[in-house]
Amino acid sequence: MRIGMLAGDLDCPGSNAVVRAFARKGIQVYGWEIVGIRDGWAGLRENRTVPIRSRDIDETLTRDRPFLGASHGPVKPGDSLHGLDALVVLGGEDAVAGAAKLAADGVQVVVVPATVRNDVMATDATFGFDTAVQIAADALDRCRTTAESHERALVVEVSGRDSGWIALHAGLAGGADVIVGPEHPFDLDQVLARVTRRFERGRAPIVVIAEGALPQGSPVPNGVAAWLSEEISRHTGKEARAVAVSQDGGRPTAADRELGTRFGLRAADAVHAGESGVMVALRGTDLGTVPLAAAAGLKTVSPERYREVEALLS
């Protein structure tokens, strides 16, 4: 069999671990020919491929440069797959949707959930998420030192257009004073009250906010972090700065390397078993597969998850 691998969304840390594990098992156990598809869906349409041999991926596990490129926009039904017998797609919501279209057209396709935002349905975790949280938490540690020395508030913006998983996890790990997600519009007065209390206690407030968060009322004219920092300065009379932290890329954590490796091995078993239109999913500590229909949509943070940390944010 000739199996193709592509990244359907933005690259995220840990993708090399998936490619390495899938290729090793596919070549050594199942005797497949493995083909890497450069630049995602666009590369598949234009047949930009490269053979993946064991020696090609031996040293990629800890590298931050992804072996596969990525792009949006899946192939359309009827487009040529250039002799591939099956396709493994790494990605999030867009990858799931694109793979489902191919599966409906008769292509054998298996998805591996890959996104730093951890917002894929039907799986407890995606690889790349742990690295993103670690990057954001490290940034918070550095920001706190600066904020304390200058007695200013810092509004730290992290990834999360529709879900607040990074904001919640990094905010807890980094000891944030306010955590704001995008799932529901936030109350500006409540945020200002918490920031003011921190200033009154002689501390420098740290606000972690997801990029997609919005206040109650009208939308903000520019970036939400910049807008919120201006509101904090205006209402408290204290200096406030906005800081944007990028979580895409970077050397993957040990947890993401381990999870990516397990995902790759399980994806190989799914292809070998003839499964199609499925996604590898983590449930608890066990891996299995779920239909792509179950993985459609976005996994967001529930109100209960935000409420359980309220005591730390008062």
Side-chain angles (χ1 to χ4, degrees), residues 124-143:
D124 289 349
T126 61
F127 74 84
F129 174 62
D130 186 75
T131 302
V133 171
Q134 188 63 60
I135 290 171
D138 288 345
L140 287 177
D141 290 344
R142 294 190 291 272
C143 285

Side-chain angles (χ1 to χ4, degrees), residues 25 45 198 214 268:
K25 191 162 192 177
R45 286 192 298 269
R198 293 299 289 173
L214 290 172

